[in-house]
Amino acid sequence: MRTSTDFHRYLEDTLERPAAVADDTPEFAVYVSLLTVDRTAYAMAATRILQAKNLRPTRDNISLLQAVASSPYAAARALQQLAGEDESRELRPDELRYALGTLEPKQLLADLPPTVGRIAQTLLIAESRLSQRNLADRAGVSARTIQNYRNRLEAFDFIRIDETGYRLALSSQTTSERRDSVVPTVLEENQTLLDAADALLETILPPERYSDPDDPLGSVLFWPPDPQRLLNHLSVGPWLRLAAALTATGSTGNNQAV
């Protein structure tokens, strides 16, 4: 399955290297602007859908929608499943969790491996914590797959794990969690992309690379810190883009005319 990033690169390459034209035809050029969908598109989609339901999106809502839903279209489809309210109020995290749980796994965390979307969808609809075995069985993945990704998802506080099992760090539809919301700590306004990159790299780099100011990855943590240069990295980039959405980091300006 192609992600939005893959499609952007494919379209850019196709426009820069057009197919051969027929003989004796006039030549002309049309400049086409390519841009990557950003936070604004998710905010607009959420606002339009929720307004008709007397609901208002919050900063955290938008961050989670951009991080989890594969596109603004998927985000709009999820929010459309919510019922309307008689009086205007903010959308609660437990309602957002329910909405996201109506999406298919392929519409969740689409930049990451497909198995991550299946794990996320299983946790979205789970009514209680799941053991690793139960999570693997329900998601249709291996226990090793869960182990491969758990540290990265934990680094962003996207999932929480204790002796009773795994849960998503997002309110479930219980009375207590409706009253006392559960959201990933990375959503806090004092959390930055640098903080998230630090937590991520600590889980994937051996100590000698993590502490090496000359390492291709570890060096982004040293002065001057620049975690954004890893957003397009082949293996780390998809995970860091998840962190960028959760921390409400602005677009890096991946827009150009071709």
Side-chain angles (χ1 to χ4, degrees):
M1 183 183 68
R2 288 191 178 276
T3 65
S4 57
T5 302
D6 293 332
F7 180 72
H8 186 284
R9 292 172 181 163
Y10 173 79
L11 184 57
E12 179 181 301
D13 183 69
T14 300
L15 290 171
E16 288 181 341
R17 299 172 179 81
V21 298
D23 294 336
D24 302 324
T25 58
E27 294 186 6
F28 63 94
V30 177
Y31 289 95
V32 179
S33 295
L34 295 182
L35 56 88
T36 302
V37 173
D38 60 11
R39 182 182 179 87
T40 301
Y42 284 87
M44 291 177 61
T47 299
R48 290 180 180 180
I49 295 296
L50 294 176
Q51 189 174 40
K53 300 177 181 293
N54 249 351
L55 294 170
R56 301 187 304 275
T58 66
R59 175 186 181 274
D60 288 356
N61 294 159
I62 301 304
S63 296
L64 285 163
L65 282 170
Q66 184 183 5
V68 179
S70 61
S71 67
Y73 175 74
R77 288 202 62 178
L79 295 175
Q80 189 62 50
Q81 309 310 309
L82 297 173
E85 293 293 317
D86 294 332
E87 297 183 4
S88 179
R89 64 170 174 81
E90 291 183 346
L91 177 69
R92 299 192 310 262
D94 65 285
E95 294 170 317
L96 179 59
R97 175 177 179 153
Y98 167 79
L100 290 171
T102 65
L103 296 177
E104 298 178 13
K106 65 182 180 181
Q107 296 174 298
L108 303 170
L109 303 169
D111 279 349
L112 300 178
T115 49
V116 181
R118 288 153 67 180
I119 292 170
Q121 203 271 345
T122 301
L123 291 174
L124 278 167
I125 63 176
E127 296 180 355
S128 59
R129 286 183 181 267
L130 298 176
S131 69
Q132 181 173 281
R133 173 172 292 182
N134 283 339
L135 176 56
D137 288 344
R138 294 190 188 187
V141 302
S142 67
R144 179 176 293 276
T145 295
I146 295 174
Q147 292 171 357
N148 288 342
Y149 299 129
R150 58 170 284 178
N151 289 343
R152 302 182 189 191
L153 294 170
E154 271 193 298
F156 301 148
D157 194 34
F158 191 76
I159 63 171
R160 296 177 184 175
I161 308 170
D162 63 17
E163 65 279 0
T164 64
Y166 290 67
R167 71 157 291 169
L168 197 71
L170 191 60
S171 298
S172 58
Q173 292 194 307
T174 62
T175 302
S176 61
E177 293 195 359
R178 285 176 180 174
R179 183 172 58 250
D180 187 13
S181 297
V182 176
V183 293
T185 55
V186 72
L187 293 174
E188 297 173 2
E189 292 194 34
N190 64 343
Q191 294 294 301
T192 67
L193 183 61
L194 180 61
D195 296 323
D198 187 3
L200 173 64
L201 293 178
E202 189 176 8
T203 70
I204 64 177
L205 292 180
E208 64 273 14
R209 290 190 59 189
Y210 173 78
S211 59
D212 183 359
D214 296 319
D215 185 83
L217 296 179
S219 61
V220 304
L221 304 176
F222 292 83
W223 190 260
D226 184 20
Q228 292 206 11
R229 70 178 171 86
L230 293 184
L231 289 174
N232 292 318
H233 188 276
L234 185 61
S235 59
V236 177
W239 293 95
L240 206 56
R241 289 195 292 273
L242 170 62
L246 291 170
T247 56
T249 300
S251 170
T252 56
N254 188 16
N255 308 325
Q256 67 182 94
V258 293

PDB file of all heavy atoms in Angstrom, residues 175-206:
ATOM      1  N   THR A 175     -16.872   5.864  32.782  1.00  0.00           N
ATOM      2  CA  THR A 175     -17.245   7.073  33.518  1.00  0.00           C
ATOM      3  C   THR A 175     -16.019   7.775  34.081  1.00  0.00           C
ATOM      4  O   THR A 175     -15.890   9.003  33.986  1.00  0.00           O
ATOM      5  CB  THR A 175     -18.209   6.723  34.667  1.00  0.00           C
ATOM      6  OG1 THR A 175     -19.363   6.091  34.121  1.00  0.00           O
ATOM      7  CG2 THR A 175     -18.616   7.966  35.423  1.00  0.00           C
ATOM      8  N   SER A 176     -15.085   7.015  34.644  1.00  0.00           N
ATOM      9  CA  SER A 176     -13.907   7.622  35.265  1.00  0.00           C
ATOM     10  C   SER A 176     -13.011   8.310  34.244  1.00  0.00           C
ATOM     11  O   SER A 176     -12.498   9.405  34.491  1.00  0.00           O
ATOM     12  CB  SER A 176     -13.105   6.561  36.028  1.00  0.00           C
ATOM     13  OG  SER A 176     -12.656   5.545  35.148  1.00  0.00           O
ATOM     14  N   GLU A 177     -12.823   7.679  33.072  1.00  0.00           N
ATOM     15  CA  GLU A 177     -11.913   8.268  32.086  1.00  0.00           C
ATOM     16  C   GLU A 177     -12.581   9.372  31.279  1.00  0.00           C
ATOM     17  O   GLU A 177     -11.895  10.195  30.675  1.00  0.00           O
ATOM     18  CB  GLU A 177     -11.326   7.178  31.187  1.00  0.00           C
ATOM     19  CG  GLU A 177     -10.399   6.254  31.959  1.00  0.00           C
ATOM     20  CD  GLU A 177      -9.521   5.386  31.071  1.00  0.00           C
ATOM     21  OE1 GLU A 177      -9.641   5.471  29.830  1.00  0.00           O
ATOM     22  OE2 GLU A 177      -8.713   4.627  31.624  1.00  0.00           O
ATOM     23  N   ARG A 178     -13.877   9.390  31.225  1.00  0.00           N
ATOM     24  CA  ARG A 178     -14.552  10.549  30.631  1.00  0.00           C
ATOM     25  C   ARG A 178     -14.340  11.779  31.503  1.00  0.00           C
ATOM     26  O   ARG A 178     -14.192  12.895  31.009  1.00  0.00           O
ATOM     27  CB  ARG A 178     -16.048  10.277  30.490  1.00  0.00           C
ATOM     28  CG  ARG A 178     -16.417   9.332  29.362  1.00  0.00           C
ATOM     29  CD  ARG A 178     -17.904   9.062  29.361  1.00  0.00           C
ATOM     30  NE  ARG A 178     -18.298   8.159  28.293  1.00  0.00           N
ATOM     31  CZ  ARG A 178     -19.523   7.674  28.141  1.00  0.00           C
ATOM     32  NH1 ARG A 178     -20.479   8.010  28.998  1.00  0.00           N
ATOM     33  NH2 ARG A 178     -19.799   6.856  27.143  1.00  0.00           N
ATOM     34  N   ARG A 179     -14.322  11.556  32.812  1.00  0.00           N
ATOM     35  CA  ARG A 179     -14.167  12.663  33.749  1.00  0.00           C
ATOM     36  C   ARG A 179     -12.702  13.089  33.884  1.00  0.00           C
ATOM     37  O   ARG A 179     -12.395  14.265  33.988  1.00  0.00           O
ATOM     38  CB  ARG A 179     -14.730  12.257  35.118  1.00  0.00           C
ATOM     39  CG  ARG A 179     -14.683  13.362  36.172  1.00  0.00           C
ATOM     40  CD  ARG A 179     -15.412  12.975  37.445  1.00  0.00           C
ATOM     41  NE  ARG A 179     -14.859  11.757  38.037  1.00  0.00           N
ATOM     42  CZ  ARG A 179     -15.480  10.577  38.066  1.00  0.00           C
ATOM     43  NH1 ARG A 179     -16.689  10.449  37.528  1.00  0.00           N
ATOM     44  NH2 ARG A 179     -14.916   9.511  38.628  1.00  0.00           N
ATOM     45  N   ASP A 180     -11.798  12.104  33.882  1.00  0.00           N
ATOM     46  CA  ASP A 180     -10.369  12.366  34.038  1.00  0.00           C
ATOM     47  C   ASP A 180      -9.666  11.820  32.794  1.00  0.00           C
ATOM     48  O   ASP A 180      -9.277  10.656  32.742  1.00  0.00           O
ATOM     49  CB  ASP A 180      -9.858  11.691  35.315  1.00  0.00           C
ATOM     50  CG  ASP A 180      -8.426  12.067  35.639  1.00  0.00           C
ATOM     51  OD1 ASP A 180      -7.913  13.023  35.030  1.00  0.00           O
ATOM     52  OD2 ASP A 180      -7.823  11.406  36.504  1.00  0.00           O
ATOM     53  N   SER A 181      -9.492  12.668  31.803  1.00  0.00           N
ATOM     54  CA  SER A 181      -9.035  12.234  30.480  1.00  0.00           C
ATOM     55  C   SER A 181      -7.642  11.612  30.504  1.00  0.00           C
ATOM     56  O   SER A 181      -6.756  12.020  31.271  1.00  0.00           O
ATOM     57  CB  SER A 181      -9.033  13.422  29.514  1.00  0.00           C
ATOM     58  OG  SER A 181     -10.338  13.907  29.333  1.00  0.00           O
ATOM     59  N   VAL A 182      -7.458  10.622  29.647  1.00  0.00           N
ATOM     60  CA  VAL A 182      -6.165   9.985  29.434  1.00  0.00           C
ATOM     61  C   VAL A 182      -5.692  10.330  28.033  1.00  0.00           C
ATOM     62  O   VAL A 182      -6.388  10.063  27.056  1.00  0.00           O
ATOM     63  CB  VAL A 182      -6.273   8.453  29.585  1.00  0.00           C
ATOM     64  CG1 VAL A 182      -4.934   7.787  29.266  1.00  0.00           C
ATOM     65  CG2 VAL A 182      -6.747   8.083  30.979  1.00  0.00           C
ATOM     66  N   VAL A 183      -4.536  10.949  27.923  1.00  0.00           N
ATOM     67  CA  VAL A 183      -3.932  11.259  26.627  1.00  0.00           C
ATOM     68  C   VAL A 183      -2.421  11.079  26.742  1.00  0.00           C
ATOM     69  O   VAL A 183      -1.871  11.145  27.844  1.00  0.00           O
ATOM     70  CB  VAL A 183      -4.238  12.714  26.164  1.00  0.00           C
ATOM     71  CG1 VAL A 183      -5.717  12.899  25.862  1.00  0.00           C
ATOM     72  CG2 VAL A 183      -3.759  13.726  27.180  1.00  0.00           C
ATOM     73  N   PRO A 184      -1.731  10.848  25.621  1.00  0.00           N
ATOM     74  CA  PRO A 184      -0.274  10.708  25.670  1.00  0.00           C
ATOM     75  C   PRO A 184       0.387  11.970  26.232  1.00  0.00           C
ATOM     76  O   PRO A 184       0.012  13.089  25.888  1.00  0.00           O
ATOM     77  CB  PRO A 184       0.114  10.494  24.201  1.00  0.00           C
ATOM     78  CG  PRO A 184      -1.122   9.943  23.559  1.00  0.00           C
ATOM     79  CD  PRO A 184      -2.264  10.626  24.261  1.00  0.00           C
ATOM     80  N   THR A 185       1.385  11.795  27.079  1.00  0.00           N
ATOM     81  CA  THR A 185       2.065  12.948  27.674  1.00  0.00           C
ATOM     82  C   THR A 185       2.798  13.781  26.624  1.00  0.00           C
ATOM     83  O   THR A 185       3.049  14.971  26.837  1.00  0.00           O
ATOM     84  CB  THR A 185       3.076  12.495  28.742  1.00  0.00           C
ATOM     85  OG1 THR A 185       3.985  11.535  28.160  1.00  0.00           O
ATOM     86  CG2 THR A 185       2.362  11.854  29.918  1.00  0.00           C
ATOM     87  N   VAL A 186       3.110  13.175  25.480  1.00  0.00           N
ATOM     88  CA  VAL A 186       3.807  13.910  24.425  1.00  0.00           C
ATOM     89  C   VAL A 186       2.945  15.041  23.867  1.00  0.00           C
ATOM     90  O   VAL A 186       3.451  15.959  23.205  1.00  0.00           O
ATOM     91  CB  VAL A 186       4.241  12.940  23.294  1.00  0.00           C
ATOM     92  CG1 VAL A 186       3.044  12.473  22.494  1.00  0.00           C
ATOM     93  CG2 VAL A 186       5.294  13.572  22.394  1.00  0.00           C
ATOM     94  N   LEU A 187       1.630  15.012  24.151  1.00  0.00           N
ATOM     95  CA  LEU A 187       0.743  16.072  23.679  1.00  0.00           C
ATOM     96  C   LEU A 187       0.885  17.363  24.479  1.00  0.00           C
ATOM     97  O   LEU A 187       0.407  18.408  24.044  1.00  0.00           O
ATOM     98  CB  LEU A 187      -0.714  15.609  23.753  1.00  0.00           C
ATOM     99  CG  LEU A 187      -1.139  14.479  22.814  1.00  0.00           C
ATOM    100  CD1 LEU A 187      -2.568  14.047  23.118  1.00  0.00           C
ATOM    101  CD2 LEU A 187      -1.015  14.911  21.360  1.00  0.00           C
ATOM    102  N   GLU A 188       1.521  17.296  25.641  1.00  0.00           N
ATOM    103  CA  GLU A 188       1.660  18.491  26.461  1.00  0.00           C
ATOM    104  C   GLU A 188       2.427  19.572  25.701  1.00  0.00           C
ATOM    105  O   GLU A 188       3.368  19.285  24.963  1.00  0.00           O
ATOM    106  CB  GLU A 188       2.381  18.151  27.763  1.00  0.00           C
ATOM    107  CG  GLU A 188       1.603  17.171  28.640  1.00  0.00           C
ATOM    108  CD  GLU A 188       2.401  16.717  29.850  1.00  0.00           C
ATOM    109  OE1 GLU A 188       3.545  17.211  30.018  1.00  0.00           O
ATOM    110  OE2 GLU A 188       1.895  15.872  30.610  1.00  0.00           O
ATOM    111  N   GLU A 189       2.024  20.830  25.899  1.00  0.00           N
ATOM    112  CA  GLU A 189       2.581  21.927  25.110  1.00  0.00           C
ATOM    113  C   GLU A 189       4.068  22.149  25.341  1.00  0.00           C
ATOM    114  O   GLU A 189       4.740  22.741  24.503  1.00  0.00           O
ATOM    115  CB  GLU A 189       1.797  23.218  25.384  1.00  0.00           C
ATOM    116  CG  GLU A 189       0.372  23.161  24.850  1.00  0.00           C
ATOM    117  CD  GLU A 189      -0.282  24.528  24.807  1.00  0.00           C
ATOM    118  OE1 GLU A 189       0.423  25.517  24.561  1.00  0.00           O
ATOM    119  OE2 GLU A 189      -1.499  24.601  25.022  1.00  0.00           O
ATOM    120  N   ASN A 190       4.601  21.676  26.469  1.00  0.00           N
ATOM    121  CA  ASN A 190       6.034  21.847  26.717  1.00  0.00           C
ATOM    122  C   ASN A 190       6.875  20.744  26.076  1.00  0.00           C
ATOM    123  O   ASN A 190       8.099  20.770  26.139  1.00  0.00           O
ATOM    124  CB  ASN A 190       6.312  21.903  28.217  1.00  0.00           C
ATOM    125  CG  ASN A 190       5.975  20.595  28.933  1.00  0.00           C
ATOM    126  OD1 ASN A 190       5.253  19.751  28.407  1.00  0.00           O
ATOM    127  ND2 ASN A 190       6.501  20.423  30.136  1.00  0.00           N
ATOM    128  N   GLN A 191       6.220  19.760  25.439  1.00  0.00           N
ATOM    129  CA  GLN A 191       6.936  18.692  24.760  1.00  0.00           C
ATOM    130  C   GLN A 191       7.270  19.111  23.335  1.00  0.00           C
ATOM    131  O   GLN A 191       6.421  19.633  22.610  1.00  0.00           O
ATOM    132  CB  GLN A 191       6.095  17.417  24.744  1.00  0.00           C
ATOM    133  CG  GLN A 191       5.867  16.808  26.113  1.00  0.00           C
ATOM    134  CD  GLN A 191       7.156  16.293  26.725  1.00  0.00           C
ATOM    135  OE1 GLN A 191       7.829  15.429  26.155  1.00  0.00           O
ATOM    136  NE2 GLN A 191       7.522  16.832  27.880  1.00  0.00           N
ATOM    137  N   THR A 192       8.488  18.888  22.920  1.00  0.00           N
ATOM    138  CA  THR A 192       8.947  19.305  21.592  1.00  0.00           C
ATOM    139  C   THR A 192       9.338  18.095  20.750  1.00  0.00           C
ATOM    140  O   THR A 192       9.461  16.974  21.259  1.00  0.00           O
ATOM    141  CB  THR A 192      10.167  20.240  21.708  1.00  0.00           C
ATOM    142  OG1 THR A 192      11.281  19.473  22.239  1.00  0.00           O
ATOM    143  CG2 THR A 192       9.862  21.420  22.636  1.00  0.00           C
ATOM    144  N   LEU A 193       9.548  18.356  19.466  1.00  0.00           N
ATOM    145  CA  LEU A 193      10.010  17.293  18.581  1.00  0.00           C
ATOM    146  C   LEU A 193      11.376  16.778  19.032  1.00  0.00           C
ATOM    147  O   LEU A 193      11.665  15.596  18.898  1.00  0.00           O
ATOM    148  CB  LEU A 193      10.072  17.807  17.139  1.00  0.00           C
ATOM    149  CG  LEU A 193      10.468  16.770  16.082  1.00  0.00           C
ATOM    150  CD1 LEU A 193       9.462  15.616  16.047  1.00  0.00           C
ATOM    151  CD2 LEU A 193      10.574  17.412  14.709  1.00  0.00           C
ATOM    152  N   LEU A 194      12.203  17.653  19.575  1.00  0.00           N
ATOM    153  CA  LEU A 194      13.515  17.231  20.069  1.00  0.00           C
ATOM    154  C   LEU A 194      13.352  16.235  21.218  1.00  0.00           C
ATOM    155  O   LEU A 194      14.077  15.237  21.283  1.00  0.00           O
ATOM    156  CB  LEU A 194      14.327  18.446  20.525  1.00  0.00           C
ATOM    157  CG  LEU A 194      15.735  18.139  21.066  1.00  0.00           C
ATOM    158  CD1 LEU A 194      16.590  17.468  20.003  1.00  0.00           C
ATOM    159  CD2 LEU A 194      16.406  19.419  21.568  1.00  0.00           C
ATOM    160  N   ASP A 195      12.424  16.497  22.121  1.00  0.00           N
ATOM    161  CA  ASP A 195      12.174  15.559  23.223  1.00  0.00           C
ATOM    162  C   ASP A 195      11.758  14.194  22.674  1.00  0.00           C
ATOM    163  O   ASP A 195      12.224  13.150  23.139  1.00  0.00           O
ATOM    164  CB  ASP A 195      11.056  16.090  24.136  1.00  0.00           C
ATOM    165  CG  ASP A 195      11.435  17.376  24.831  1.00  0.00           C
ATOM    166  OD1 ASP A 195      12.616  17.518  25.209  1.00  0.00           O
ATOM    167  OD2 ASP A 195      10.551  18.248  24.992  1.00  0.00           O
ATOM    168  N   ALA A 196      10.864  14.206  21.682  1.00  0.00           N
ATOM    169  CA  ALA A 196      10.373  12.959  21.104  1.00  0.00           C
ATOM    170  C   ALA A 196      11.487  12.231  20.355  1.00  0.00           C
ATOM    171  O   ALA A 196      11.608  11.004  20.440  1.00  0.00           O
ATOM    172  CB  ALA A 196       9.205  13.246  20.167  1.00  0.00           C
ATOM    173  N   ALA A 197      12.312  12.980  19.615  1.00  0.00           N
ATOM    174  CA  ALA A 197      13.430  12.365  18.891  1.00  0.00           C
ATOM    175  C   ALA A 197      14.424  11.743  19.862  1.00  0.00           C
ATOM    176  O   ALA A 197      14.957  10.649  19.610  1.00  0.00           O
ATOM    177  CB  ALA A 197      14.125  13.414  18.023  1.00  0.00           C
ATOM    178  N   ASP A 198      14.657  12.421  20.958  1.00  0.00           N
ATOM    179  CA  ASP A 198      15.554  11.905  21.996  1.00  0.00           C
ATOM    180  C   ASP A 198      15.033  10.566  22.510  1.00  0.00           C
ATOM    181  O   ASP A 198      15.768   9.576  22.590  1.00  0.00           O
ATOM    182  CB  ASP A 198      15.640  12.926  23.132  1.00  0.00           C
ATOM    183  CG  ASP A 198      16.683  12.558  24.177  1.00  0.00           C
ATOM    184  OD1 ASP A 198      17.384  11.542  23.994  1.00  0.00           O
ATOM    185  OD2 ASP A 198      16.786  13.276  25.183  1.00  0.00           O
ATOM    186  N   ALA A 199      13.736  10.519  22.858  1.00  0.00           N
ATOM    187  CA  ALA A 199      13.146   9.289  23.384  1.00  0.00           C
ATOM    188  C   ALA A 199      13.175   8.167  22.349  1.00  0.00           C
ATOM    189  O   ALA A 199      13.440   7.005  22.684  1.00  0.00           O
ATOM    190  CB  ALA A 199      11.714   9.563  23.830  1.00  0.00           C
ATOM    191  N   LEU A 200      12.914   8.514  21.075  1.00  0.00           N
ATOM    192  CA  LEU A 200      12.906   7.510  20.018  1.00  0.00           C
ATOM    193  C   LEU A 200      14.298   6.952  19.774  1.00  0.00           C
ATOM    194  O   LEU A 200      14.497   5.729  19.722  1.00  0.00           O
ATOM    195  CB  LEU A 200      12.354   8.111  18.730  1.00  0.00           C
ATOM    196  CG  LEU A 200      12.429   7.220  17.484  1.00  0.00           C
ATOM    197  CD1 LEU A 200      11.558   5.982  17.654  1.00  0.00           C
ATOM    198  CD2 LEU A 200      12.029   7.998  16.235  1.00  0.00           C
ATOM    199  N   LEU A 201      15.290   7.828  19.610  1.00  0.00           N
ATOM    200  CA  LEU A 201      16.642   7.381  19.298  1.00  0.00           C
ATOM    201  C   LEU A 201      17.241   6.570  20.441  1.00  0.00           C
ATOM    202  O   LEU A 201      18.061   5.673  20.212  1.00  0.00           O
ATOM    203  CB  LEU A 201      17.530   8.576  18.972  1.00  0.00           C
ATOM    204  CG  LEU A 201      17.172   9.324  17.679  1.00  0.00           C
ATOM    205  CD1 LEU A 201      18.078  10.532  17.475  1.00  0.00           C
ATOM    206  CD2 LEU A 201      17.258   8.390  16.470  1.00  0.00           C
ATOM    207  N   GLU A 202      16.831   6.857  21.656  1.00  0.00           N
ATOM    208  CA  GLU A 202      17.320   6.082  22.798  1.00  0.00           C
ATOM    209  C   GLU A 202      16.876   4.627  22.707  1.00  0.00           C
ATOM    210  O   GLU A 202      17.558   3.726  23.200  1.00  0.00           O
ATOM    211  CB  GLU A 202      16.829   6.704  24.101  1.00  0.00           C
ATOM    212  CG  GLU A 202      17.462   6.103  25.341  1.00  0.00           C
ATOM    213  CD  GLU A 202      17.048   6.798  26.621  1.00  0.00           C
ATOM    214  OE1 GLU A 202      16.138   7.653  26.557  1.00  0.00           O
ATOM    215  OE2 GLU A 202      17.621   6.490  27.676  1.00  0.00           O
ATOM    216  N   THR A 203      15.725   4.380  22.051  1.00  0.00           N
ATOM    217  CA  THR A 203      15.227   3.006  21.934  1.00  0.00           C
ATOM    218  C   THR A 203      15.810   2.245  20.756  1.00  0.00           C
ATOM    219  O   THR A 203      15.773   1.014  20.747  1.00  0.00           O
ATOM    220  CB  THR A 203      13.691   2.992  21.792  1.00  0.00           C
ATOM    221  OG1 THR A 203      13.323   3.514  20.502  1.00  0.00           O
ATOM    222  CG2 THR A 203      13.021   3.799  22.882  1.00  0.00           C
ATOM    223  N   ILE A 204      16.328   2.952  19.754  1.00  0.00           N
ATOM    224  CA  ILE A 204      16.773   2.253  18.541  1.00  0.00           C
ATOM    225  C   ILE A 204      18.280   2.289  18.322  1.00  0.00           C
ATOM    226  O   ILE A 204      18.793   1.529  17.486  1.00  0.00           O
ATOM    227  CB  ILE A 204      16.060   2.810  17.291  1.00  0.00           C
ATOM    228  CG1 ILE A 204      16.436   4.273  17.046  1.00  0.00           C
ATOM    229  CG2 ILE A 204      14.557   2.644  17.400  1.00  0.00           C
ATOM    230  CD1 ILE A 204      15.806   4.840  15.787  1.00  0.00           C
ATOM    231  N   LEU A 205      19.007   3.150  19.041  1.00  0.00           N
ATOM    232  CA  LEU A 205      20.451   3.237  18.856  1.00  0.00           C
ATOM    233  C   LEU A 205      21.194   2.604  20.028  1.00  0.00           C
ATOM    234  O   LEU A 205      20.782   2.758  21.182  1.00  0.00           O
ATOM    235  CB  LEU A 205      20.885   4.703  18.735  1.00  0.00           C
ATOM    236  CG  LEU A 205      20.441   5.486  17.493  1.00  0.00           C
ATOM    237  CD1 LEU A 205      20.982   6.903  17.566  1.00  0.00           C
ATOM    238  CD2 LEU A 205      20.905   4.804  16.219  1.00  0.00           C
ATOM    239  N   PRO A 206      22.292   1.907  19.762  1.00  0.00           N
ATOM    240  CA  PRO A 206      23.128   1.431  20.869  1.00  0.00           C
ATOM    241  C   PRO A 206      23.751   2.633  21.580  1.00  0.00           C
ATOM    242  O   PRO A 206      23.888   3.716  20.986  1.00  0.00           O
ATOM    243  CB  PRO A 206      24.184   0.576  20.161  1.00  0.00           C
ATOM    244  CG  PRO A 206      24.218   1.074  18.754  1.00  0.00           C
ATOM    245  CD  PRO A 206      22.823   1.524  18.445  1.00  0.00           C
TER     246      PRO A 206
END
